[in-house]
Amino acid sequence: MADLTTTFIGIRSPNPFWLASAPPTDKEYNVNRAFEAGWGGVVWKTLGEAGPPIVNVNGPRYGAIWGADRRLLGLNNIELITDRDLEINLSEIVNVKKNWPDRAVVVSLMVPCVEQAWKDILKRVEDTGCDGVELNFGCPHGMSERGMGSAVGQVPEYIEMVARWCKENTDLPVIVKLTPNITDIRYPARAAKSGGADAVSLINTISSITAVDLDSFSPEPSIDGKGSHGGYCGPAVKPIALNMVAEIARDPATAGMPISGIGGVTTWRDAAEFIALGCGTVQVCTAAMTYGFKIVQEMIAGLENYMDEKGFATIEDFRGRAAPNVTDWQYLNLNYVTKARIDQDLCIQCGRCHIACEDTSHQAITAMVDGKRHFEVIEEECVGCNLCVNVCPVEGCIDMVAISGVDPRTKKPVSKDYANWTTHPNNPSVWQKQAAE
């Protein structure tokens, strides 16, 4: 059985699945339930300095994007950092860490860019016995307008400055949470490293408006007829997060810097992809808010099964393996050729591949063969773009088959004489899968 025990910048947890700083980690009650369900760690919802409490809206806080089956794909929120008293949060963190000594408890922080403000809150947080702090330089709404959150995260010099303050004023591990609302994620990551940060976490939410009500003409969520941009998260942001993680992992200036991956982690496979790009832990929010805390049990079981099948004893056995395979476009092998192949045994004759290729691509899929409705690939017209694979509603019905270069799965040279495929008897330009003997 694979061992999911994780040590990340000296912080141990029974598995790499942490809850991100967000509503699910806002109080002791929630965190206790999370740990009972099996989460390896939490990042406590962002704390601010003592003083007048943060005031959140009392109306809708979330906007959403759904798929055709009403599955939640993206969530936009306009909620601010914790609106609970600092003293209450600190006392609850003490209780949680005392009751769950084997779990990771990291505290997210956001205060003004004044060294004394950081020094004061770091001392108070350190006294809770927590395992580390995460500097929230990513929140794109509400706090950024006050000179905090992404307003800091978009200026590398500020990141380096505050990270250095924190390292000088606490012995706790310091994680810098990065905003994706920036042109090049490498610069803030480099700044975090220059400031002495122990790790970076990313991505925070993406500044967004998810919808406009076409009756009231207010952005959603609507508060008394007005709306505001918020932070976008959920499965839809995963591709953006993976790319930014990869950019940091392969940047010589930040190579080897520990990364906690965030952004759309919903399944064990999502987590494994972040780990393969170099992440030591993954943080989850939207999936827990959608399906509840027990979803972590599916993530744990799935990751264990994958690792057992691959022969990986710990996540260190495959962490970062994908990072060297991320390259610049100019270095891609232009002599590597693939062609689409349609498995007629799986084809349901819906024609989506044909119409997509005919209208918007390369006219490389027939609609008729021998006078009958039949969809096949015309090899000389196929450029291997794989649009047909992505629009096909039947998984595995259309494959991309390498006909020159090296097959990435077998690592062996391939040619046109590949196994299990042959030309159609009445049309040499059309290829079909051979029937099983």
Side-chain angles (χ1 to χ4, degrees), residues 310-375:
K310 293 291 186 180
F312 299 140
T314 73
I315 67 168
E316 292 302 315
D317 292 339
F318 73 100
R319 187 174 67 82
R321 282 202 180 189
N325 294 325
V326 181
T327 188
D328 294 336
W329 193 96
Q330 61 184 321
Y331 301 122
L332 297 177
N333 181 8
L334 300 185
N335 294 316
Y336 178 70
V337 179
T338 62
K339 301 289 182 180
R341 301 289 176 255
I342 301 173
D343 186 336
Q344 295 303 321
D345 293 335
L346 295 177
C347 180
I348 61 173
Q349 302 292 310
C350 68
R352 289 179 63 181
C353 61
H354 164 72
I355 202 62
C357 188
E358 191 73 13
D359 284 356
T360 68
S361 203
H362 297 276
Q363 298 76 53
I365 298 179
T366 66
M368 304 289 290
V369 173
D370 299 336
K372 298 180 181 179
R373 180 180 174 88
H374 193 79
F375 303 100

Side-chain angles (χ1 to χ4, degrees), residues 404-415:
S404 68
V406 176
D407 189 314
R409 291 166 292 187
T410 65
K411 306 300 182 184
K412 296 179 180 178
V414 294
S415 67

Side-chain angles (χ1 to χ4, degrees), residues 196-240:
D198 299 284
V200 292
S201 59
L202 69 154
I203 57 174
N204 207 313
T205 54
I206 300 169
S207 188
S208 63
I209 292 175
T210 51
V212 174
D213 187 310
L214 293 179
D215 293 315
S216 67
F217 297 101
S218 169
E220 296 181 353
S222 180
I223 306 298
D224 195 25
K226 301 290 183 180
S228 178
H229 69 96
Y232 192 54
C233 57
V237 311
K238 175 188 158 191
I240 299 168

Side-chain angles (χ1 to χ4, degrees), residues 85-270:
D85 185 76
L86 177 61
E87 295 294 340
I88 294 174
N89 276 292
L90 294 174
S91 65
E92 290 184 357
I93 293 169
V94 170
N95 294 338
V96 167
K97 191 58 193 175
K98 180 180 178 181
N99 294 329
W100 300 93
D102 66 325
R103 309 301 171 94
V105 178
V106 174
V107 180
S108 177
L109 301 176
M110 184 193 297
V111 297
C113 277
V114 177
E115 183 174 8
Q116 190 62 45
W118 284 98
K119 185 176 181 179
D120 290 345
I121 197 166
L122 283 168
K123 178 62 172 69
R124 303 190 71 182
V125 169
E126 198 172 57
D127 290 343
T128 65
C130 70
D131 299 295
V133 293
E134 183 180 80
L135 315 185
N136 185 345
F137 295 154
C139 184
H141 59 275
M143 306 309 294
S144 58
E145 291 89 334
R146 309 179 196 193
M148 293 180 278
S150 64
V152 177
Q154 291 168 340
V155 184
E157 293 81 4
Y158 290 173
I159 293 174
E160 181 176 349
M161 176 180 68
V162 178
R164 183 169 288 110
W165 288 343
C166 292
K167 287 300 295 180
E168 291 173 351
N169 287 287
T170 184
D171 293 326
L172 290 171
V174 174
I175 305 170
V176 169
K177 190 173 187 179
L178 302 178
T179 177
N181 301 296
I182 195 165
T183 303
D184 192 332
I185 196 66
R186 295 175 298 176
Y187 292 103
R190 292 170 185 171
K193 185 174 183 180
S194 296
D198 299 284
V200 292
S201 59
L202 69 154
I203 57 174
N204 207 313
T205 54
I206 300 169
S207 188
S208 63
I209 292 175
T210 51
V212 174
D213 187 310
L214 293 179
D215 293 315
S216 67
F217 297 101
S218 169
E220 296 181 353
S222 180
I223 306 298
D224 195 25
K226 301 290 183 180
S228 178
H229 69 96
Y232 192 54
C233 57
V237 311
K238 175 188 158 191
I240 299 168
L242 287 176
N243 176 63
M244 290 189 171
V245 165
E247 288 296 284
I248 294 172
R250 70 190 188 99
D251 180 12
T254 53
M257 189 173 193
I259 303 171
S260 184
I262 313 170
V265 176
T266 307
T267 69
W268 71 264
R269 184 178 294 275
D270 298 329

